[in-house]
Structure formats: C-alpha cells, structure tokens
C-alpha cells in the first residue's frame, strides 16, 4: 500500500477555547499506483486531510502510513525529509516560487530531499509536460496552464510514491483542465505513483476509476470522543 | 541548489529593496574605508621617523610648531636664530652635522614652501638610511638664485630644468620678490614634505631684497639672544657697528656694503650628533633646555604627543562614527527583511511543503541578511578604495600626505567578519519568524 490512514482524528482549537472537530476517519487505503478522487464540499476538511497525509499537519491521533512508515510518529525534521522524498504535492494555486525559473522550481523540489540534485531528470520532467522550451522562464512569464504543468513536474522531481493533488484544475481555464488532469494521471501512471486528488468538482472526479466522497467516511464527531490533544 | 543560491535568488527577486539596503551598508563601509585610508596616511606621515636628523634646533617656543614647520612645512616658523648660533653649533664637538634652514616664503604658483639651505642638506639622509635621488639635474645649489625643487612641485607646476619663477614674501599676496630663481635639479619622489618644497641656496635667501632686517632690530634681537654671553654679544655688536659704517659709505660713495654674519639669521638647524655616543643628543637638548636662547627638539616626540592626544582620538572618533553608520544600516537591513516576512510567509510555506526543514528556511533568511551585509560591504570597500584612488592626487596636493589608496588597514580585515556577524544578528529575528511559520496557515492564505 502507498497510503493507509488509521483512526485519524483532527480538531482545531477555537478562539473561544473549545475545539472544532474536522476529521474523523477510521480507515482509508490507497494501493501502489492507484488513482483516486476524493470529493468533498468546501470547508469539508479536504485540505486538512492532505496536510495530514503530507505531514504538514499532525493529527490529534491516528496513524498515517506512507510507503510502510507511520509519519505521525516521526520527528518533524525526519517527516520533512520524508515528505520531500516520498510525497509530491500539486496545489490549487500552483505555488511556484516567483524568484526561480521553471527549471529552478523543479530543482528546488529536489534540494530538500537529501539526495543529489538531478538536473537532467528535472529537464526531462519539464520536457514531458511540454515545457522544454520554457525552462528558463520565471512563473510570471508563464501562462496559468504552463504554471500548473511546472507544478506537476516539480511534484514528481523526487520520484515520490504518492502524489497529492489539491483541486489542481480549479484555477485553470476549462480548455486546460482535462489537459492538466490527463497530464497528472498519465505521468503518475508512467512513474507508478499513487494519486490522491481532492476536489469539489464532480466533473474532474469522474475521470477517475475510484471516486470517494469524503463526507461518507469522514465522521468529525468521532473527535469529541477520541481526541487526544 | 544550495541555501546560499536560494537566498541570492530571493534577493534578486526584490532587487530594488535589496540594492538600496546593501547600498546603505556600502556607503557606511565606504566612509569607514576612506577614514581608515586617510588615517593610515596621517599615521604613517606622523609616526615614522620623519627626518634623518637627531635634533631640530630653533628659537624657544612650541616644540610641535618647530617640528611641523621645519619637517612637515605645514606651520609658519616660530622666529629666527642668529646665524652666529649656527656657527656655534657647528663648532660643538658633539655635533657631526648642523644644516641650516631658512623659510617663510612660498612660490607664487602653487604656494609651495621655500627653504633656504646648503648643499649639505641633500648629502644627508632625508629619512634614516634614505638618500636623496635626483630625477633631473645635479645635486648642488652652490650659486645664487638656483633652486632644487621637489617632485610634486615639478609635477604640479610643470617646472623642469631651466624653469624660472618668482617667490612671494611670507605668502602674503601682493608682495612678490623681484628676484627670479632657476630650477637646476628636480628631486626624485621621497614621500615626504621635501616633495612639496622648493630649496634655494641659503645665500640666495639672504640676498633676496627685503629679507634683511633693519640693523637696529637685529641689534635688539642679538642683545636678547646673547644676554648671558657678553663676549659673543660684543663681537656681534662690533660687526653691526662696522656694517652701519659700511651702509653710510654706501650711501655717500656708492661702495656696496657687505652683510656681516651678525646680520644673518636661520629659522631652524637640523643637527646630527655623533652616532657612537647617543647621549650627545640628550645632553645637547638638555643644555639648551636650561638656557633661554634656543631649544633642541627630538623630531619624533612632539608628533607622537600630537598623535596620542589629538589626531589619534579624532581618528578613533571618526572610526566609531562610521561604525555607528554601519550599525544603523544594519538596522535598515533588519527592517527591510523583517517587513518582507509577512509577504513571504507563503513562499516559506511552499518551501516547507517541498520538504524544507525549519532549519533550512531559517538558514535561507540568515544567508540573505549576511549576503546583504557582506555584499554591501564588498561594494563599499571597493568604492571606498576607488574614491581614495581618484581623490589621492587632490589629497596629496592639498595636504602633502602620502596616500596609499589600496593599503588595507588591520581594521579593514575585521570589517568583513564583523559585517557577516552583523548580518546574522540582524537577520536572526526575521529568520526566527520564518522558522516559526505555520505552514498550513500560510498555504491557506
């Protein structure tokens, strides 16, 4: 399995002092190479779930097992490096760094993994997403579609086992939406990378063989009985 | 990509703000470099043994003024000594060499000081172990109205062998002497005040119309000077009586009067004592100290005193002031980076989401701050020395200081490590902000 979630509970502390339950997931799995779309409404905990899977957020309790290791029990510094080397993330807003060219953005993805920076692989990835001619352009000089393609290339820079996509087509024009989605899916397939995409768009989700609805297996109310912090 | 390169790219992204911040540091460093270059020149000029003589003898007065006027030629002379006293010094068994100097006039062009002396001046070392060399012409000024000029005088006034020039009396405008002097030699550069001096034959100095004082004034001076030495006073007065008679004859019969020794004066005397008995200089100096006629000054001590009490403190104050300017610039770096942090929370969060640890983003911000400090310092250092190169001819001309624009002072060697530390200090708080960035919150911004 690429990803297993066990007994995940997450709540946020409110300004008033009480806690707002957000996630209560007993079990979720994603097999190696599997691609799944997770549909959820706005404010339904989609982004929180991705942040927990990627180790950016720590759940109140539960286990997040990525490629056989529970990242919740890792020290932060180990988790950061594990994220860099095992998990790729594509954001809704691309999140390219404007100071760096397309190629540098991809190289930046390699920098923190602890492995040697592989420039030729970065170029290969950008060529694969059709940006071989835009290597040295900065994000402001790229179209929205091109920026998201750079983000896809960056997410695969460290040959991850799991790619998390957070509404990757929400900010892309309709003409580019299926292009981007196909690119992500095809590239993941080529690299045997498991893909979990969260979206509120049914149209985007229907392209996936597996479609899960977050509100069907997320029971935030479990937090009130199982929260540990 | 390493953290330094990432920091550099981030600085380039905000190139205007980065450049202005680095510029503020650079200006501070430039000022400090200039202060250090000039201080170094002042220190070198005033702390090296500035003359190849053991003592400077002159009339009683300020020892500092005597050294500044006789050696550095940047102060007016105190007064004059009778030339007869020079003869006494030359006859003293402790004295190996006593070279007279007579000065007070300046060239009309460039205002360079005029010094009347003898050829012996050029035969002695101008600094310990340093002999005069002549770029052009011979090495003697035996004839009347001949002049040897320093290298800067030749360069600035465009004078060469055979050039003629008039001189101004005591620098006062409008009192130009009638006599014209001819350049017979040009000194090679020495890096001392000699480069800015015009040397005349001492006899020429006496022969200049208007240099001879009235006989009655000389008599009064001699009576004061030799009040305790009746024999010499009698000899001098007899010479003056004879001279008065000659002047009357000159008026009546047109027979030219010849100035006696008693009528001649020197401004200072450079004295070398016997090297095998260093105590000679001390005893001669002590002897003169007791009397009322003249004083003998060690050429180093008054300058050391000046350095310690005045110039050294001014230098320190200037260095501290420029240091404060750099410190203030450091604060501007802090403000610049700190203010940018709220705009950069998302960038930091993105880097963290790509796997950068807290220590990575902390290091990147520190590196940015250190790069701004050291980059600004490098710019300021180069500009400071560049300005020193451009300004050195003017400074040399105006002050006579031997400026070495590329000389690096020990203070400068500490500048870059100090600024790197400053960069780290002022970058610490913004770096901590980056370190503490809540990634999930910042990504949701």
């Amino acid at each position: 399995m690429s990803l297993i979630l066990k007994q995940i509970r997450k709540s946020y502390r409110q300004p008033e002092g009480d806690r707002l339950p957000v996630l209560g997931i007993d079990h979720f799995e994603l097999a190696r190479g599997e691609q799944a779309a997770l549909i959820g409404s706005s404010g339904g905990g989609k982004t929180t779930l991705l942040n927990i899977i990627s180790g950016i957020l720590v759940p109140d309790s539960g286990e997040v097992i990525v490629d056989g290791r529970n990242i919740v029990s890792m020290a932060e510094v180990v988790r950061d490096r594990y994220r860099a080397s095992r998990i790729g993330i594509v954001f809704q807003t691309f999140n390219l760094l404007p100071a760096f060219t397309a190629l540098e953005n991809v190289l930046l993805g390699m920098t923190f993994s602890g492995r040697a920076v592989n420039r030729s692989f970065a170029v290969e990835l950008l060529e694969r997403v059709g940006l071989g001619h835009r290597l040295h352009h900065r994000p402001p000089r790229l179209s929205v579609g091109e920026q998201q393609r750079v983000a896809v290339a960056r997410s695969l820079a460290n040959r991850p086992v799991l790619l998390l996509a957070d509404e990757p087509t929400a900010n892309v024009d309709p003409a580019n939406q299926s292009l981007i989605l196909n690119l992500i899916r095809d590239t993941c397939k080529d690299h045997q990378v498991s893909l979990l995409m969260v979206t509120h768009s049914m149209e985007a989700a229907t392209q996936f063989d597996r479609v899960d609805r977050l509100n069907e297996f997320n029971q935030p109310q479990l937090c009130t009985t199982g929260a540990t912090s | 990509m390493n953290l330094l390169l990432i920091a550099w790219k981030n600085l380039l992204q905000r190139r205007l703000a980065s450049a202005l911040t680095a510029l503020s540091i650079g200006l501070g460093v430039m000022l400090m470099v200039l202060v250090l270059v000039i201080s170094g020149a002042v220190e070198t000029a005033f702390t090296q043994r500035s003359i190849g003589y053991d003592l400077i003898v002159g009339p009683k007065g300020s020892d500092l003024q005597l050294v500044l006027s006789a050696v550095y030629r940047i102060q007016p002379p105190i007064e004059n000594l009778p030339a007869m006293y020079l003869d006494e010094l030359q006859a003293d068994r402790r004295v190996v060499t006593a070279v007279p100097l007579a000065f007070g006039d300046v060239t009309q062009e460039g205002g360079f000081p005029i010094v009347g002396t003898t050829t012996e001046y050029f035969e002695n070392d101008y600094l310990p172990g340093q002999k005069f060399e002549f770029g052009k012409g011979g090495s003697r000024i035996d004839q009347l109205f001949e002049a040897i000029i320093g290298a800067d005088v030749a360069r600035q006034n465009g004078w060469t062998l055979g050039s003629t020039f008039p001189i101004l009396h005591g620098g006062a405008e409008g009192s130009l002497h009638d006599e014209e002097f001819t350049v017979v030699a040009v000194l090679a550069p020495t890096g001392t005040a000699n480069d800015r001096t015009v040397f005349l034959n001492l006899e020429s100095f006496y022969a200049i119309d208007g240099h001879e004082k009235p006989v009655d004034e000389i008599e009064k001076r001699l009576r004061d000077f030799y009040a305790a030495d009746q024999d010499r006073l009698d000899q001098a007065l007899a010479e003056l009586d004879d001279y008065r008679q000659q002047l009357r004859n000159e008026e009546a019969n047109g027979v030219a009067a010849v100035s006696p020794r008693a009528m001649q004066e020197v401004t200072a005397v450079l004295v070398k004592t016997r090297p095998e008995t260093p105590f000679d200089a001390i005893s001669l100096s002590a002897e003169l100290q007791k009397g009322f006629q003249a004083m003998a000054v060690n050429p180093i001590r008054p300058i050391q005193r000046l350095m310690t009490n005045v110039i050294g403190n001014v230098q320190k104050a200037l260095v501290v002031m420029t240091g404060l300017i750099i410190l203030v610039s450091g604060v501007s770096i802090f403000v610049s980076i700190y203010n940018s942090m709220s705009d950069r929370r998302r960038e930091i969060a993105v880097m963290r989401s790509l796997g950068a640890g807290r220590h990575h983003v902390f290091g990147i911000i520190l590196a940015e701050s250190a790069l701004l400090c050291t980059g600004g310092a490098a710019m300021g250092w180069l500009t400071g020395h560049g300005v020193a190169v451009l300004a050195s001819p003017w400074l040399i001309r105006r002050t006579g200081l031997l400026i070495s624009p590329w000389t690096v002072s020990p203070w400068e060697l500490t500048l870059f490590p100090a600024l790197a530390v400053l960069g780290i200090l002022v970058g610490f708080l913004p770096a901590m902000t980056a370190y503490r960035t809540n990634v999930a919150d910042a990504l949701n911004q």
Side-chain angles (χ1 to χ4, degrees), chain B residues 203-399:
Chain B
E203 297 303 323
S204 306
F205 203 83
Y206 295 142
I208 294 168
D209 191 30
H211 267 190
E212 187 172 280
K213 293 189 173 71
V215 182
D216 290 346
E217 188 184 330
I218 292 288
E219 182 182 332
K220 186 176 176 301
R221 283 169 177 268
L222 286 169
R223 283 185 184 280
D224 289 345
F225 195 82
Y226 286 123
D229 190 344
Q230 194 59 46
D231 290 348
R232 289 199 192 279
L233 181 61
D234 289 346
Q235 183 195 335
L237 292 177
E239 282 183 13
L240 291 184
D241 285 344
D242 182 50
Y243 185 55
R244 282 194 181 96
Q245 187 58 46
Q246 285 188 46
L247 288 172
R248 281 193 289 274
N249 285 345
E250 186 179 88
E251 209 170 310
N253 309 323
V255 180
V258 179
S259 290
R261 190 62 167 162
M263 284 296 291
Q264 294 174 343
E265 292 181 316
V266 295
T267 317
V269 183
L270 305 177
V271 173
K272 242 185 197 175
T273 53
R274 294 176 299 187
E276 64 276 13
T277 50
F279 189 68
D280 283 352
I282 300 166
S283 73
L284 184 61
S285 179
E287 204 173 283
L288 291 179
Q289 199 66 34
K290 283 181 196 162
F292 298 99
Q293 302 169 326
M295 63 179 178
V297 174
N298 178 315
I300 298 172
R301 283 205 196 108
I303 297 300
Q304 280 180 337
R305 215 172 55 232
L306 177 71
M307 280 300 299
T308 310
N309 296 340
V310 184
I311 297 174
N313 288 334
V314 171
Q315 282 174 350
K316 279 180 198 147
L318 285 173
V319 169
V320 168
M321 271 173 58
T322 49
L324 285 175
I325 291 172
I326 292 172
L327 208 60
V328 170
S329 309
V331 173
S332 76
I333 288 188
F334 164 75
V335 171
S336 165
I337 296 181
Y338 194 78
N339 282 345
S340 73
M341 290 313 293
S342 56
D343 298 333
R344 298 175 60 194
R345 281 187 74 222
R346 192 176 178 88
E347 284 175 34
I348 288 161
V350 170
M351 278 196 276
R352 292 289 319 279
S353 73
L354 294 176
R358 291 182 191 273
H359 61 287
H360 285 125
V361 292
F362 182 86
I364 288 167
I365 301 298
L366 271 196
E368 284 181 27
S369 176
L371 275 174
L372 278 177
C373 268
T374 50
M379 245 170 21
W381 187 84
L382 281 172
T383 314
H385 282 287
V387 169
V389 168
L390 294 176
S392 61
W394 181 82
L395 279 169
I396 290 169
R397 212 164 47 239
R398 298 281 298 192
T399 63

Side-chain angles (χ1 to χ4, degrees), chain B residues 93 105 161 170 179 253 262 284 299 413 439:
Chain B
R93 63 181 172 74
D105 290 356
L161 297 183
E179 295 79 2
N253 309 323
L284 184 61
L413 295 178
V439 180

Side-chain angles (χ1 to χ4, degrees), chain A residues 76 83 93 95 104 111, chain B residues 1 9 346 350 352 358:
Chain A
E76 186 184 61
R83 175 166 65 249
T93 48
N95 284 341
E104 286 165 347
T111 300
Chain B
M1 280 203 287
K9 292 271 180 188
R346 192 176 178 88
V350 170
R352 292 289 319 279
R358 291 182 191 273

Side-chain angles (χ1 to χ4, degrees), chain A residues 47 51 56-57 76-77 80-81 83-84 89 91 93 95 97-100 104 107-109 111-112 117 154, chain B residues 1-3 5-6 9-10 13 346-347 350-360 364 439-440 443-444:
Chain A
T47 302
N51 283 340
I56 289 171
L57 279 179
E76 186 184 61
V77 66
D80 288 337
R81 182 158 292 190
R83 175 166 65 249
I89 307 173
F91 297 95
T93 48
N95 284 341
L97 295 176
F100 301 86
E104 286 165 347
L107 292 173
L108 199 66
T111 300
F112 305 112
V117 169
R154 183 179 66 182
Chain B
M1 280 203 287
N2 57 41
L3 298 190
L5 184 61
I6 295 171
K9 292 271 180 188
N10 284 337
Q13 174 68 11
R346 192 176 178 88
E347 284 175 34
V350 170
M351 278 196 276
R352 292 289 319 279
S353 73
L354 294 176
R358 291 182 191 273
H359 61 287
H360 285 125
I364 288 167
V439 180
L443 284 174
N444 285 335

